[in-house]
Amino acid sequence: MFAHAYTILAAVVVVFLLAKTLRLSTELSMLASTVAGGVWHVFAWPGSGLRIFVPDNSLLRHIVEGMFTYFDVCLIFISATFFMTLVKESGGVAFIVRRIVKTFRTRRVVCLLLLTLVMLIPGALTGSGATAVLTVGALVGTVLSAMGVDDTRRTAAIFMTAAMSAAAPPINLWAMMAAAGANLPYVGFNGPLVVLSVAGAVFSMFWLAGGGKTADEEEAMKNLPMPPEGINGIRVAAPFVFLAALLLAGRVWPFDFPVIGLPMIFALSSLVVILCSGVRLKVWEILTRTVRNLLPLVGIMVVVGALIQILALSGVRGLISLKVVILPLSTLFATLFVILPVSEGILQYAVAPLLGVPLIMLFNMKGMDAIVALSAMSVLWPLGDCLPPTAVVGRAAVMELDFRGRYFGDFVKACLVPMAFVALCCTLFLIYSKQLSFLAF
Amino acid sequence: MNVSMIMFNQWITYGYYAMTFVFALALAWNLWKSKDPQESILYVVILIPFVLRLLRLK
């Protein structure tokens, strides 16, 4: 059985690397390795009774079933990003940023705190750092530029705050995927996630953009897009108030309020944006553009589900879990802050169910607080979003802010100190998870 | 559970089918417009769970 699982694992890794060499996208490479692993399992172990196309017990059925694993997460992802894109297109984001510059330009600390908050909201609602960069990154970058922050530090600040926004609650996709795999309800994560992600974002913003001059209002306003006529604070705030009300209603009246679910909450809030918008929004165009922008991320979630199903079916997932749970805790504490971001750079969200689930099992077995530990890991993962081969958020930040410097020599190097701070906080949360369990309320 | 709550839940279920349909339509539209073969394959793969859910096969 062990030899069989090792062979399948080798087949999956080899086909993935081969497909990447042939310039296939990460998602299709993963799909190819999933099919290869499954086919190998069918032919190498005929005793399993599995066939390629037989209706009841076929490889095809397992692959399709796996594609449904993160279907709800896909719906959340699309609906939340659609909501944020509508807010941006209605001029809401430009209105908020212009108002911040106008009111707080002489008070640098308050201005930076509010810009950090603006960066945190889209990622916190969608679970995607790329969405944060694409919706508000350029606008916040323009204000930072007017505040005298150089290109390298500005791009690094946008990346780091976007990475932390992806980790911020209520939507943390790594925690959601790992929790789903470990049969752990996604409840109680808000406390530890908010402490780690907000601390990381604020430290990053002040470390990278703390020094400099007072914002040049004229320069900033000239470069920021004009919000449409008739927009005001109430129109911008209404969708967010509605969203917050629906999110809270289920908690305040758990037995009297129907379970709407996050995708429907975002869809209803999107309707409020459309109704409150001062301009006529091209809804279909915005939706198709949102889906196109999310293609790699939704694609990887669908494919990862299939991969996990095949790995579980063939015993590879058990093998990986076994190898992880026999590791000494001290080794994990000393290496996770490197392993998790690097694995994120390679596998993206796939890493959460692959590595996260056995680690959660191990931490739970050792008497640690599983929620605090998973929260700490979920904040470490997005740090790897600037690392190759995927580097999704890093590339998005560089493109959106038109960064001309060296990717590793300038941009990644500028991120190292904030990354070290986040890594240190997360490692401390891992080590002292039991003592910090009061945060998981 | 009272009758109004059951009715609400029923409407929410219909809402989810409608949402899945709209998202599937947007995916299919992008698939139709896409000229990149790798992108097209990925659209087809993503569409599988959406279509199966709409057909109530899964």
Side-chain angles (χ1 to χ4, degrees):
Chain A
M1 187 62 212
F2 271 103
H4 178 73
Y6 274 120
T7 322
I8 304 270
L9 181 60
V12 167
V13 172
V14 168
V15 172
F16 179 77
L17 294 176
L18 200 67
K20 285 298 287 178
T21 316
L22 294 172
R23 295 189 171 277
L24 251 65
S25 63
T26 306
E27 304 82 41
L28 290 187
S29 303
M30 216 172 265
L31 182 67
S33 63
T34 302
V35 174
V39 170
W40 193 288
H41 175 65
V42 171
F43 289 109
W45 194 13
S48 68
L50 199 73
R51 299 288 178 268
I52 305 264
F53 293 114
V54 175
D56 283 346
N57 193 18
S58 72
L59 177 65
L60 194 67
R61 196 209 85 192
H62 279 286
I63 290 177
V64 171
E65 192 153 310
M67 287 175 174
F68 276 90
T69 312
Y70 303 112
F71 186 67
D72 53 339
V73 182
C74 291
L75 288 183
I76 293 172
F77 209 24
I78 298 174
S79 56
T81 310
F82 178 55
F83 168 75
M84 270 318 298
T85 314
L86 282 173
V87 173
K88 185 193 175 190
E89 293 294 325
S90 67
V93 177
F95 176 84
I96 294 169
V97 175
R98 287 180 82 93
R99 187 54 70 90
I100 290 171
V101 174
K102 209 175 172 74
T103 315
F104 299 106
R105 67 178 186 85
T106 53
R107 295 157 74 181
R108 193 178 181 87
V109 173
V110 181
C111 201
L112 285 179
L113 281 174
L114 290 171
L115 290 176
T116 309
L117 183 68
V118 169
M119 279 302 298
L120 282 174
I121 290 170
L125 294 179
T126 62
S128 157
T131 303
V133 172
L134 296 175
T135 51
V136 295
L139 298 183
V140 174
T142 305
V143 181
L144 291 180
S145 181
M147 290 168 86
V149 181
D150 68 58
D151 275 2
T152 307
R153 296 175 84 83
R154 186 166 63 106
T155 313
I158 296 299
F159 165 72
M160 280 304 300
T161 45
M164 290 300 99
S165 78
I171 312 289
N172 180 311
L173 291 174
W174 296 276
M176 286 171 110
M177 291 170 90
N183 287 334
L184 177 73
Y186 184 67
V187 175
F189 285 84
N190 288 351
L193 282 178
V194 88
V195 171
L196 284 170
S197 57
V198 171
V202 170
F203 177 86
S204 303
M205 189 59 105
F206 278 85
W207 177 266
L208 292 162
K213 55 179 185 179
T214 306
D216 183 341
E217 187 182 349
E218 201 177 315
E219 189 194 330
M221 291 297 187
K222 191 177 71 189
N223 293 323
L224 286 172
M226 280 294 287
E229 286 287 320
I231 196 163
N232 55 44
I234 295 170
R235 281 177 181 240
V236 175
F240 290 99
V241 172
F242 182 75
L243 176 80
L246 286 185
L247 284 173
L248 288 173
R251 295 189 174 213
V252 177
W253 302 288
F255 302 109
D256 301 310
F257 198 78
V259 180
I260 303 177
L262 281 169
M264 188 59 73
I265 289 176
F266 281 115
L268 294 172
S269 305
S270 301
L271 288 179
V272 178
V273 180
I274 295 165
L275 292 174
C276 292
S277 171
V279 287
R280 194 179 169 84
L281 293 168
K282 294 174 180 168
V283 178
W284 178 249
E285 193 187 306
I286 293 169
L287 178 63
T288 51
R289 189 168 7 112
T290 303
V291 169
R292 195 164 50 245
N293 288 339
L294 290 178
L295 178 70
L297 300 176
V298 176
I300 207 150
M301 278 192 276
V302 172
V303 173
V304 161
L307 175 67
I308 299 291
Q309 179 89 1
I310 295 302
L311 293 186
L313 177 77
S314 57
V316 177
R317 191 174 174 182
L319 178 75
I320 295 172
S321 304
L322 192 66
K323 293 292 169 194
V324 170
V325 297
I326 56 173
L327 283 171
L329 274 182
S330 52
T331 309
L332 284 173
F333 292 151
T335 54
L336 272 184
F337 68 92
V338 176
I339 293 172
L340 297 185
V342 170
S343 56
E344 166 72 14
I346 299 167
L347 292 169
Q348 285 271 294
Y349 291 105
V351 79
L354 265 179
L355 281 181
V357 174
L359 282 171
I360 281 306
M361 303 284 193
L362 170 68
F363 292 152
N364 192 41
M365 203 169 66
K366 296 281 184 183
M368 291 167 60
D369 188 292
I371 294 172
V372 175
L374 179 53
S375 302
M377 292 197 297
S378 304
V379 179
L380 278 172
W381 270 310
L383 295 179
D385 278 334
C386 66
L387 300 177
T390 53
V392 176
V393 186
R395 279 187 301 173
V398 165
M399 283 191 302
E400 196 71 6
L401 279 87
D402 199 22
F403 176 67
R404 304 277 179 195
R406 293 171 301 164
Y407 188 84
F408 285 103
D410 296 326
F411 165 63
V412 177
K413 193 177 163 190
C415 296
L416 287 179
V417 172
M419 278 181 177
F421 173 79
V422 175
L424 178 69
C425 290
C426 292
T427 306
L428 289 173
F429 264 58
L430 275 173
I431 296 169
Y432 298 106
S433 68
K434 196 80 184 163
Q435 289 85 339
L436 293 165
S437 59
F438 66 89
L439 289 169
F441 52 86
Chain B
M1 194 182 280
N2 59 37
V3 177
S4 60
M5 199 66 115
I6 293 170
M7 203 182 70
F8 263 129
N9 287 336
Q10 195 70 47
W11 279 106
I12 289 167
T13 306
Y14 292 143
Y16 271 99
Y17 277 110
M19 190 196 299
T20 308
F21 175 71
V22 173
F23 289 165
L25 214 59
L27 283 164
W29 176 267
N30 284 349
L31 167 65
W32 180 256
K33 294 277 174 191
S34 174
K35 288 184 169 60
D36 179 358
Q38 286 204 35
E39 210 177 81
S40 302
I41 295 171
L42 196 54
Y43 274 123
V44 172
V45 171
I46 297 171
L47 266 169
I48 293 171
F50 281 84
V51 173
L52 289 179
R53 176 56 54 90
L54 282 173
L55 296 174
R56 305 183 80 165
L57 288 175
K58 184 80 180 76

